[in-house]
PDB file of all heavy atoms in Angstrom:
ATOM      1  N   ILE A  41       5.726 -11.310 -12.356  1.00 98.00           N
ATOM      2  CA  ILE A  41       6.237 -10.098 -12.924  1.00 98.00           C
ATOM      3  C   ILE A  41       7.152  -9.335 -11.994  1.00 98.00           C
ATOM      4  O   ILE A  41       7.726  -8.310 -12.371  1.00 98.00           O
ATOM      5  CB  ILE A  41       5.078  -9.159 -13.375  1.00 98.00           C
ATOM      6  CG1 ILE A  41       4.205  -8.791 -12.197  1.00 98.00           C
ATOM      7  CG2 ILE A  41       4.264  -9.808 -14.520  1.00 98.00           C
ATOM      8  CD1 ILE A  41       3.186  -7.679 -12.507  1.00 98.00           C
ATOM      9  N   VAL A  45       9.288  -5.785 -12.910  1.00 98.00           N
ATOM     10  CA  VAL A  45       9.046  -4.399 -12.436  1.00 98.00           C
ATOM     11  C   VAL A  45      10.062  -3.874 -11.515  1.00 98.00           C
ATOM     12  O   VAL A  45      10.369  -2.736 -11.405  1.00 98.00           O
ATOM     13  CB  VAL A  45       7.563  -4.377 -11.881  1.00 98.00           C
ATOM     14  CG1 VAL A  45       6.537  -4.580 -12.966  1.00 98.00           C
ATOM     15  CG2 VAL A  45       7.374  -5.317 -10.748  1.00 98.00           C
ATOM     16  N   LEU A  99      10.012  -4.487  -2.762  1.00 98.00           N
ATOM     17  CA  LEU A  99       9.518  -5.852  -3.034  1.00 98.00           C
ATOM     18  C   LEU A  99       8.696  -5.850  -4.260  1.00 98.00           C
ATOM     19  O   LEU A  99       7.919  -4.928  -4.451  1.00 98.00           O
ATOM     20  CB  LEU A  99       8.772  -6.434  -1.862  1.00 98.00           C
ATOM     21  CG  LEU A  99       8.161  -7.796  -1.947  1.00 98.00           C
ATOM     22  CD1 LEU A  99       8.763  -8.685  -0.987  1.00 98.00           C
ATOM     23  CD2 LEU A  99       6.643  -7.740  -1.739  1.00 98.00           C
ATOM     24  N   GLY A 100       8.876  -6.851  -5.082  1.00 98.00           N
ATOM     25  CA  GLY A 100       8.026  -6.937  -6.265  1.00 98.00           C
ATOM     26  C   GLY A 100       6.641  -7.624  -5.935  1.00 98.00           C
ATOM     27  O   GLY A 100       5.673  -6.940  -5.516  1.00 98.00           O
ATOM     28  N   ALA A 101       6.574  -8.918  -5.960  1.00 98.00           N
ATOM     29  CA  ALA A 101       5.403  -9.639  -5.590  1.00 98.00           C
ATOM     30  C   ALA A 101       5.784 -11.087  -5.425  1.00 98.00           C
ATOM     31  O   ALA A 101       6.774 -11.541  -6.096  1.00 98.00           O
ATOM     32  CB  ALA A 101       4.289  -9.521  -6.663  1.00 98.00           C
ATOM     33  N   VAL A 102       5.084 -11.787  -4.638  1.00 97.00           N
ATOM     34  CA  VAL A 102       5.346 -13.255  -4.524  1.00 97.00           C
ATOM     35  C   VAL A 102       4.108 -14.104  -4.713  1.00 97.00           C
ATOM     36  O   VAL A 102       2.981 -13.660  -4.720  1.00 97.00           O
ATOM     37  CB  VAL A 102       5.858 -13.564  -3.040  1.00 97.00           C
ATOM     38  CG1 VAL A 102       7.175 -12.880  -2.781  1.00 97.00           C
ATOM     39  CG2 VAL A 102       4.801 -13.212  -1.949  1.00 97.00           C
ATOM     40  N   GLY A 103       4.343 -15.341  -5.113  1.00 97.00           N
ATOM     41  CA  GLY A 103       3.257 -16.274  -5.393  1.00 97.00           C
ATOM     42  C   GLY A 103       3.116 -16.640  -6.793  1.00 97.00           C
ATOM     43  O   GLY A 103       3.669 -15.997  -7.658  1.00 97.00           O
ATOM     44  N   GLY A 104       2.242 -17.720  -7.018  1.00 97.00           N
ATOM     45  CA  GLY A 104       1.967 -18.116  -8.298  1.00 97.00           C
ATOM     46  C   GLY A 104       1.446 -19.544  -8.349  1.00 97.00           C
ATOM     47  O   GLY A 104       1.533 -20.217  -7.322  1.00 97.00           O
ATOM     48  N   PRO A 105       0.876 -19.959  -9.427  1.00 96.00           N
ATOM     49  CA  PRO A 105       0.232 -21.281  -9.464  1.00 96.00           C
ATOM     50  C   PRO A 105       1.107 -22.483  -9.125  1.00 96.00           C
ATOM     51  O   PRO A 105       0.660 -23.496  -8.510  1.00 96.00           O
ATOM     52  CB  PRO A 105      -0.260 -21.513 -10.917  1.00 96.00           C
ATOM     53  CG  PRO A 105       0.130 -20.246 -11.608  1.00 96.00           C
ATOM     54  CD  PRO A 105       0.748 -19.292 -10.738  1.00 96.00           C
ATOM     55  N   ASP A 108       0.701 -23.084  -5.473  1.00 93.00           N
ATOM     56  CA  ASP A 108      -0.549 -23.035  -4.876  1.00 93.00           C
ATOM     57  C   ASP A 108      -1.061 -24.238  -4.078  1.00 93.00           C
ATOM     58  O   ASP A 108      -1.889 -24.155  -3.254  1.00 93.00           O
ATOM     59  CB  ASP A 108      -1.663 -22.772  -6.058  1.00 93.00           C
ATOM     60  CG  ASP A 108      -1.738 -21.275  -6.283  1.00 93.00           C
ATOM     61  OD1 ASP A 108      -1.164 -20.484  -5.606  1.00 93.00           O
ATOM     62  OD2 ASP A 108      -2.495 -20.923  -7.281  1.00 93.00           O
ATOM     63  N   ARG A 115       3.563 -21.654   2.089  1.00 92.00           N
ATOM     64  CA  ARG A 115       3.266 -20.947   0.828  1.00 92.00           C
ATOM     65  C   ARG A 115       4.067 -19.680   0.614  1.00 92.00           C
ATOM     66  O   ARG A 115       4.493 -19.021   1.654  1.00 92.00           O
ATOM     67  CB  ARG A 115       1.756 -20.721   0.806  1.00 92.00           C
ATOM     68  CG  ARG A 115       0.933 -21.937   0.538  1.00 92.00           C
ATOM     69  CD  ARG A 115      -0.496 -21.565   0.689  1.00 92.00           C
ATOM     70  NE  ARG A 115      -0.882 -20.628  -0.351  1.00 92.00           N
ATOM     71  CZ  ARG A 115      -1.680 -20.895  -1.420  1.00 92.00           C
ATOM     72  NH1 ARG A 115      -2.077 -22.106  -1.641  1.00 92.00           N
ATOM     73  NH2 ARG A 115      -1.985 -19.963  -2.248  1.00 92.00           N
ATOM     74  N   GLU A 117       3.132 -16.597   0.164  1.00 91.00           N
ATOM     75  CA  GLU A 117       2.631 -15.453   0.847  1.00 91.00           C
ATOM     76  C   GLU A 117       3.066 -15.379   2.307  1.00 91.00           C
ATOM     77  O   GLU A 117       2.971 -14.294   3.027  1.00 91.00           O
ATOM     78  CB  GLU A 117       1.058 -15.468   0.744  1.00 91.00           C
ATOM     79  CG  GLU A 117       0.441 -15.313  -0.578  1.00 91.00           C
ATOM     80  CD  GLU A 117       0.548 -16.576  -1.474  1.00 91.00           C
ATOM     81  OE1 GLU A 117       1.000 -17.619  -1.052  1.00 91.00           O
ATOM     82  OE2 GLU A 117       0.244 -16.421  -2.680  1.00 91.00           O
ATOM     83  N   LEU A 120       5.425 -12.616   3.076  1.00 94.00           N
ATOM     84  CA  LEU A 120       4.970 -11.217   3.372  1.00 94.00           C
ATOM     85  C   LEU A 120       4.666 -11.050   4.869  1.00 94.00           C
ATOM     86  O   LEU A 120       5.026 -10.026   5.463  1.00 94.00           O
ATOM     87  CB  LEU A 120       3.682 -11.010   2.519  1.00 94.00           C
ATOM     88  CG  LEU A 120       3.833 -10.961   1.001  1.00 94.00           C
ATOM     89  CD1 LEU A 120       2.466 -10.738   0.393  1.00 94.00           C
ATOM     90  CD2 LEU A 120       4.764  -9.884   0.561  1.00 94.00           C
ATOM     91  N   ILE A 295      -4.816  -1.501 -11.379  1.00 88.00           N
ATOM     92  CA  ILE A 295      -4.051  -2.006 -10.342  1.00 88.00           C
ATOM     93  C   ILE A 295      -2.523  -1.829 -10.641  1.00 88.00           C
ATOM     94  O   ILE A 295      -1.715  -1.725  -9.659  1.00 88.00           O
ATOM     95  CB  ILE A 295      -4.422  -3.521 -10.067  1.00 88.00           C
ATOM     96  CG1 ILE A 295      -3.866  -3.950  -8.770  1.00 88.00           C
ATOM     97  CG2 ILE A 295      -3.990  -4.418 -11.221  1.00 88.00           C
ATOM     98  CD1 ILE A 295      -4.486  -5.207  -8.267  1.00 88.00           C
ATOM     99  N   GLY A 296      -2.257  -1.671 -11.804  1.00 93.00           N
ATOM    100  CA  GLY A 296      -0.837  -1.474 -12.287  1.00 93.00           C
ATOM    101  C   GLY A 296      -0.233  -0.146 -11.972  1.00 93.00           C
ATOM    102  O   GLY A 296       0.905   0.147 -12.162  1.00 93.00           O
ATOM    103  N   GLU A 313       6.148  -1.682  -2.014  1.00 97.00           N
ATOM    104  CA  GLU A 313       5.838  -2.594  -2.987  1.00 97.00           C
ATOM    105  C   GLU A 313       4.612  -2.242  -3.756  1.00 97.00           C
ATOM    106  O   GLU A 313       3.731  -1.374  -3.202  1.00 97.00           O
ATOM    107  CB  GLU A 313       5.514  -3.901  -2.297  1.00 97.00           C
ATOM    108  CG  GLU A 313       4.463  -3.817  -1.159  1.00 97.00           C
ATOM    109  CD  GLU A 313       4.174  -5.175  -0.501  1.00 97.00           C
ATOM    110  OE1 GLU A 313       4.032  -6.148  -1.127  1.00 97.00           O
ATOM    111  OE2 GLU A 313       3.990  -5.185   0.760  1.00 97.00           O
ATOM    112  N   PRO A 314       4.438  -2.662  -4.956  1.00 96.00           N
ATOM    113  CA  PRO A 314       3.140  -2.420  -5.680  1.00 96.00           C
ATOM    114  C   PRO A 314       2.068  -3.120  -5.021  1.00 96.00           C
ATOM    115  O   PRO A 314       2.287  -4.109  -4.299  1.00 96.00           O
ATOM    116  CB  PRO A 314       3.410  -2.912  -7.085  1.00 96.00           C
ATOM    117  CG  PRO A 314       4.408  -4.003  -6.850  1.00 96.00           C
ATOM    118  CD  PRO A 314       5.318  -3.551  -5.734  1.00 96.00           C
ATOM    119  N   VAL A 315       0.807  -2.600  -5.201  1.00 93.00           N
ATOM    120  CA  VAL A 315      -0.379  -3.295  -4.581  1.00 93.00           C
ATOM    121  C   VAL A 315      -0.608  -4.647  -5.273  1.00 93.00           C
ATOM    122  O   VAL A 315      -1.141  -5.564  -4.700  1.00 93.00           O
ATOM    123  CB  VAL A 315      -1.558  -2.347  -4.621  1.00 93.00           C
ATOM    124  CG1 VAL A 315      -2.839  -3.092  -4.405  1.00 93.00           C
ATOM    125  CG2 VAL A 315      -1.413  -1.140  -3.642  1.00 93.00           C
ATOM    126  N   HIS A 316      -0.345  -4.688  -6.567  1.00 94.00           N
ATOM    127  CA  HIS A 316      -0.715  -5.893  -7.326  1.00 94.00           C
ATOM    128  C   HIS A 316       0.140  -7.086  -6.946  1.00 94.00           C
ATOM    129  O   HIS A 316       1.159  -6.978  -6.274  1.00 94.00           O
ATOM    130  CB  HIS A 316      -0.553  -5.536  -8.861  1.00 94.00           C
ATOM    131  CG  HIS A 316       0.852  -5.280  -9.315  1.00 94.00           C
ATOM    132  ND1 HIS A 316       1.856  -6.186  -9.367  1.00 94.00           N
ATOM    133  CD2 HIS A 316       1.408  -4.129  -9.689  1.00 94.00           C
ATOM    134  CE1 HIS A 316       2.947  -5.605  -9.825  1.00 94.00           C
ATOM    135  NE2 HIS A 316       2.704  -4.342 -10.036  1.00 94.00           N
ATOM    136  N   GLY A 317      -0.265  -8.277  -7.499  1.00 94.00           N
ATOM    137  CA  GLY A 317       0.332  -9.551  -7.186  1.00 94.00           C
ATOM    138  C   GLY A 317       1.322  -9.819  -8.266  1.00 94.00           C
ATOM    139  O   GLY A 317       1.791  -8.964  -9.064  1.00 94.00           O
ATOM    140  N   SER A 318       1.636 -11.072  -8.370  1.00 97.00           N
ATOM    141  CA  SER A 318       2.761 -11.506  -9.288  1.00 97.00           C
ATOM    142  C   SER A 318       2.290 -11.709 -10.759  1.00 97.00           C
ATOM    143  O   SER A 318       3.082 -12.049 -11.682  1.00 97.00           O
ATOM    144  CB  SER A 318       3.424 -12.877  -8.779  1.00 97.00           C
ATOM    145  OG  SER A 318       2.405 -13.844  -8.723  1.00 97.00           O
ATOM    146  N   ALA A 319       0.990 -11.492 -10.984  1.00 97.00           N
ATOM    147  CA  ALA A 319       0.304 -11.569 -12.327  1.00 97.00           C
ATOM    148  C   ALA A 319       0.922 -12.721 -13.198  1.00 97.00           C
ATOM    149  O   ALA A 319       1.485 -12.412 -14.260  1.00 97.00           O
ATOM    150  CB  ALA A 319       0.486 -10.173 -13.019  1.00 97.00           C
ATOM    151  N   PRO A 320       0.718 -13.925 -12.821  1.00 97.00           N
ATOM    152  CA  PRO A 320       1.341 -15.029 -13.598  1.00 97.00           C
ATOM    153  C   PRO A 320       0.887 -15.111 -15.069  1.00 97.00           C
ATOM    154  O   PRO A 320       1.615 -15.502 -15.893  1.00 97.00           O
ATOM    155  CB  PRO A 320       0.878 -16.285 -12.843  1.00 97.00           C
ATOM    156  CG  PRO A 320       0.118 -15.926 -11.720  1.00 97.00           C
ATOM    157  CD  PRO A 320       0.020 -14.412 -11.640  1.00 97.00           C
ATOM    158  N   ASP A 321      -0.301 -14.529 -15.297  1.00 97.00           N
ATOM    159  CA  ASP A 321      -0.901 -14.614 -16.642  1.00 97.00           C
ATOM    160  C   ASP A 321      -0.013 -13.749 -17.647  1.00 97.00           C
ATOM    161  O   ASP A 321      -0.071 -13.930 -18.838  1.00 97.00           O
ATOM    162  CB  ASP A 321      -2.338 -14.159 -16.714  1.00 97.00           C
ATOM    163  CG  ASP A 321      -2.587 -12.794 -16.010  1.00 97.00           C
ATOM    164  OD1 ASP A 321      -1.870 -12.473 -15.087  1.00 97.00           O
ATOM    165  OD2 ASP A 321      -3.566 -12.104 -16.364  1.00 97.00           O
ATOM    166  N   ILE A 322       0.707 -12.754 -17.104  1.00 98.00           N
ATOM    167  CA  ILE A 322       1.410 -11.893 -18.094  1.00 98.00           C
ATOM    168  C   ILE A 322       2.899 -11.968 -17.780  1.00 98.00           C
ATOM    169  O   ILE A 322       3.716 -11.225 -18.408  1.00 98.00           O
ATOM    170  CB  ILE A 322       0.977 -10.468 -18.075  1.00 98.00           C
ATOM    171  CG1 ILE A 322       1.030  -9.859 -16.631  1.00 98.00           C
ATOM    172  CG2 ILE A 322      -0.501 -10.325 -18.616  1.00 98.00           C
ATOM    173  CD1 ILE A 322       0.814  -8.327 -16.645  1.00 98.00           C
ATOM    174  N   LEU A 327       4.810  -7.294 -20.497  1.00 98.00           N
ATOM    175  CA  LEU A 327       3.475  -6.683 -20.600  1.00 98.00           C
ATOM    176  C   LEU A 327       3.134  -5.893 -19.280  1.00 98.00           C
ATOM    177  O   LEU A 327       2.181  -5.127 -19.253  1.00 98.00           O
ATOM    178  CB  LEU A 327       2.379  -7.713 -20.803  1.00 98.00           C
ATOM    179  CG  LEU A 327       2.237  -8.286 -22.199  1.00 98.00           C
ATOM    180  CD1 LEU A 327       1.168  -9.328 -22.263  1.00 98.00           C
ATOM    181  CD2 LEU A 327       1.843  -7.126 -23.184  1.00 98.00           C
ATOM    182  N   ALA A 328       3.892  -6.206 -18.260  1.00 98.00           N
ATOM    183  CA  ALA A 328       3.534  -5.635 -16.910  1.00 98.00           C
ATOM    184  C   ALA A 328       3.671  -4.102 -16.875  1.00 98.00           C
ATOM    185  O   ALA A 328       4.678  -3.620 -17.410  1.00 98.00           O
ATOM    186  CB  ALA A 328       4.338  -6.268 -15.830  1.00 98.00           C
ATOM    187  N   ASN A 329       2.803  -3.443 -16.233  1.00 97.00           N
ATOM    188  CA  ASN A 329       2.895  -2.007 -16.037  1.00 97.00           C
ATOM    189  C   ASN A 329       3.938  -1.772 -14.826  1.00 97.00           C
ATOM    190  O   ASN A 329       3.631  -2.252 -13.651  1.00 97.00           O
ATOM    191  CB  ASN A 329       1.553  -1.468 -15.543  1.00 97.00           C
ATOM    192  CG  ASN A 329       1.517   0.004 -15.447  1.00 97.00           C
ATOM    193  OD1 ASN A 329       2.588   0.645 -15.301  1.00 97.00           O
ATOM    194  ND2 ASN A 329       0.385   0.617 -15.445  1.00 97.00           N
ATOM    195  N   PRO A 330       5.046  -1.198 -15.073  1.00 98.00           N
ATOM    196  CA  PRO A 330       6.015  -0.969 -13.998  1.00 98.00           C
ATOM    197  C   PRO A 330       5.752   0.142 -13.096  1.00 98.00           C
ATOM    198  O   PRO A 330       6.435   0.412 -12.144  1.00 98.00           O
ATOM    199  CB  PRO A 330       7.282  -0.788 -14.757  1.00 98.00           C
ATOM    200  CG  PRO A 330       6.831  -0.072 -15.994  1.00 98.00           C
ATOM    201  CD  PRO A 330       5.445  -0.594 -16.334  1.00 98.00           C
ATOM    202  N   ASP A 370      -2.485  -2.328 -19.953  1.00 92.00           N
ATOM    203  CA  ASP A 370      -3.546  -2.248 -18.982  1.00 92.00           C
ATOM    204  C   ASP A 370      -4.228  -0.831 -18.811  1.00 92.00           C
ATOM    205  O   ASP A 370      -5.271  -0.808 -18.327  1.00 92.00           O
ATOM    206  CB  ASP A 370      -2.994  -2.682 -17.677  1.00 92.00           C
ATOM    207  CG  ASP A 370      -1.890  -1.920 -17.154  1.00 92.00           C
ATOM    208  OD1 ASP A 370      -0.867  -1.781 -17.919  1.00 92.00           O
ATOM    209  OD2 ASP A 370      -1.903  -1.426 -16.001  1.00 92.00           O
TER     210      ASP A 370
HETATM  211  P1  NAD B 423      -2.576  -9.989  -9.536  1.00 87.08           P
HETATM  212  O1  NAD B 423      -2.520  -8.609  -8.973  1.00 87.08           O
HETATM  213  O2  NAD B 423      -1.280 -10.716  -9.624  1.00 87.08           O
HETATM  214  O3  NAD B 423      -3.353  -9.994 -10.983  1.00 87.08           O
HETATM  215  C1  NAD B 423      -4.714  -9.607 -11.066  1.00 87.08           C
HETATM  216  C2  NAD B 423      -4.904  -9.129 -12.586  1.00 87.08           C
HETATM  217  O4  NAD B 423      -4.210  -7.883 -12.713  1.00 87.08           O
HETATM  218  C3  NAD B 423      -4.262 -10.007 -13.589  1.00 87.08           C
HETATM  219  O5  NAD B 423      -5.056 -10.063 -14.713  1.00 87.08           O
HETATM  220  C4  NAD B 423      -2.894  -9.375 -13.909  1.00 87.08           C
HETATM  221  O6  NAD B 423      -2.489  -9.645 -15.142  1.00 87.08           O
HETATM  222  C5  NAD B 423      -3.256  -7.880 -13.746  1.00 87.08           C
HETATM  223  N1  NAD B 423      -2.087  -7.163 -13.291  1.00 87.08           N
HETATM  224  C6  NAD B 423      -1.498  -7.165 -12.034  1.00 87.08           C
HETATM  225  N2  NAD B 423      -0.441  -6.338 -11.991  1.00 87.08           N
HETATM  226  C7  NAD B 423      -0.300  -5.821 -13.233  1.00 87.08           C
HETATM  227  C8  NAD B 423       0.656  -4.967 -13.738  1.00 87.08           C
HETATM  228  N3  NAD B 423       1.656  -4.478 -13.052  1.00 87.08           N
HETATM  229  N4  NAD B 423       0.515  -4.573 -15.083  1.00 87.08           N
HETATM  230  C9  NAD B 423      -0.599  -5.072 -15.808  1.00 87.08           C
HETATM  231  N5  NAD B 423      -1.510  -5.917 -15.328  1.00 87.08           N
HETATM  232  C10 NAD B 423      -1.378  -6.404 -14.071  1.00 87.08           C
HETATM  233  O7  NAD B 423      -3.606 -10.825  -8.569  1.00 87.08           O
HETATM  234  P2  NAD B 423      -3.874 -12.431  -8.614  1.00 87.08           P
HETATM  235  O8  NAD B 423      -4.034 -12.926 -10.072  1.00 87.08           O
HETATM  236  O9  NAD B 423      -5.080 -12.556  -7.700  1.00 87.08           O
HETATM  237  O10 NAD B 423      -2.665 -13.165  -7.872  1.00 87.08           O
HETATM  238  C11 NAD B 423      -1.661 -13.747  -8.599  1.00 87.08           C
HETATM  239  C12 NAD B 423      -0.510 -14.224  -7.620  1.00 87.08           C
HETATM  240  O11 NAD B 423      -0.022 -13.121  -6.896  1.00 87.08           O
HETATM  241  C13 NAD B 423      -1.123 -15.170  -6.514  1.00 87.08           C
HETATM  242  O12 NAD B 423      -0.244 -16.168  -6.222  1.00 87.08           O
HETATM  243  C14 NAD B 423      -1.364 -14.283  -5.346  1.00 87.08           C
HETATM  244  O13 NAD B 423      -1.263 -14.938  -4.092  1.00 87.08           O
HETATM  245  C15 NAD B 423      -0.116 -13.331  -5.499  1.00 87.08           C
HETATM  246  N6  NAD B 423      -0.286 -12.018  -4.789  1.00 87.08           N
HETATM  247  C16 NAD B 423       0.849 -11.496  -4.222  1.00 87.08           C
HETATM  248  C17 NAD B 423       0.764 -10.199  -3.709  1.00 87.08           C
HETATM  249  C18 NAD B 423       2.085  -9.652  -3.056  1.00 87.08           C
HETATM  250  O14 NAD B 423       3.150 -10.234  -3.339  1.00 87.08           O
HETATM  251  N7  NAD B 423       1.960  -8.566  -2.376  1.00 87.08           N
HETATM  252  C19 NAD B 423      -0.391  -9.441  -3.730  1.00 87.08           C
HETATM  253  C20 NAD B 423      -1.538 -10.002  -4.349  1.00 87.08           C
HETATM  254  C21 NAD B 423      -1.511 -11.277  -4.904  1.00 87.08           C
END
Side-chain angles (χ1 to χ4, degrees):
I41 61 170
V45 293
L99 178 116
V102 297
D108 273 354
R115 287 174 63 107
E117 292 77 6
L120 296 176
I295 193 163
E313 54 180 317
V315 165
H316 62 72
S318 61
D321 51 334
I322 56 167
L327 283 175
N329 184 345
D370 56 309

